[in-house]
Amino acid sequence: MVDNTSAASAPAAGDTAPAAQAGPTTLWVERTGTRRYTGHSSRGAEVLIGSEGVPGVFTPGELLKIALAACSGMSSDFPLSRRLGDDYDATIRVSGAADRENEVYPQLDEVFELDLSELDAAARDRLLVTVQRAIDKVCTVGRTLKAGSKVTLSFDIDTVD
C-alpha cells in the first residue's frame, strides 16, 4: 500500500540534485544515524541535524530559530542597505527556551544588532519603524509562526503484497 499525498518527492538516496531546477525547490531529510539526519535542498544545499548532544549538528528547534532570524535579516535588507549602504553589518540573535512539557517554544526573542551611531535620533527612529514594517510585511517565517500553520503528515510506504 502506498499513501503519497505529497506533491514533490525527494530524489532517491545517493542521487545528486541538479544545478538548476524548474519549479519549486524540493526539501527532504535523510537519516544518517541514531537521531542524526542530513537536510537537503534540490539546489544542492545540505545541513546536519541531530540531537542537542551530538557535536557539529543543529537541532530542529535551532534551525527554526535560525530560519526566523535569517528571514528577519533578509526582509530588512533593502531598507537597511538603502540607508546604511550595501556593506552594513548586522547580527540577529534569536533565543527561546522550549516548554518540554508541551513540546513548544512559547516565545522566541530576536535581538537585531546594528550600528546606527551615524544617524540622529529622528532618522534612527524612522529607520527602525521602516525595518519593523518590512519584517512584519514580508518575513514569511515570522508571519507563519505568528499566525500558526496547518501541518499535515502522510506516509509513502513500501509493503509486500
Side-chain angles (χ1 to χ4, degrees), residues 2-161:
V2 174
D3 176 13
N4 185 2
T5 58
S6 170
S9 60
D15 285 356
T16 57
Q21 169 189 332
T25 300
T26 306
L27 304 172
W28 70 98
V29 297
E30 293 177 343
R31 186 174 189 269
T32 58
T34 303
R35 297 187 53 79
R36 286 187 64 110
Y37 288 78
T38 299
H40 300 272
S41 88
S42 57
R43 293 191 327 272
E46 292 185 350
V47 63
L48 302 178
I49 307 163
S51 296
E52 190 171 5
V54 177
V57 301
F58 289 105
T59 68
E62 290 167 342
L63 289 172
L64 174 76
K65 293 173 193 176
I66 288 171
L68 176 62
C71 189
S72 293
M74 292 171 67
S75 297
S76 64
D77 197 59
F78 290 127
L80 286 170
S81 64
R82 275 195 304 266
R83 187 63 176 97
L84 303 175
D86 286 335
D87 61 345
Y88 75 92
D89 292 324
T91 300
I92 302 109
R93 299 191 188 279
V94 61
S95 61
D99 170 353
R100 290 296 172 205
E101 183 176 320
N102 296 301
E103 291 298 337
V104 297
Y105 292 99
Q107 180 170 331
L108 297 175
D109 299 307
E110 293 179 280
V111 177
F112 214 125
E113 298 174 1
L114 291 166
D115 180 359
L116 302 180
S117 60
E118 298 297 317
L119 303 178
D120 63 40
R124 188 172 46 248
D125 290 345
R126 282 191 308 272
L127 179 59
L128 293 177
V129 166
T130 301
V131 166
Q132 183 69 59
R133 285 182 183 154
I135 292 169
D136 289 344
K137 182 177 179 182
V138 299
C139 177
T140 305
V141 175
R143 292 173 58 86
T144 299
L145 288 170
K146 289 175 185 174
S149 182
K150 178 181 175 182
V151 177
T152 63
L153 173 66
S154 62
F155 296 92
D156 186 351
I157 302 169
D158 292 331
T159 61
V160 178
D161 291 330

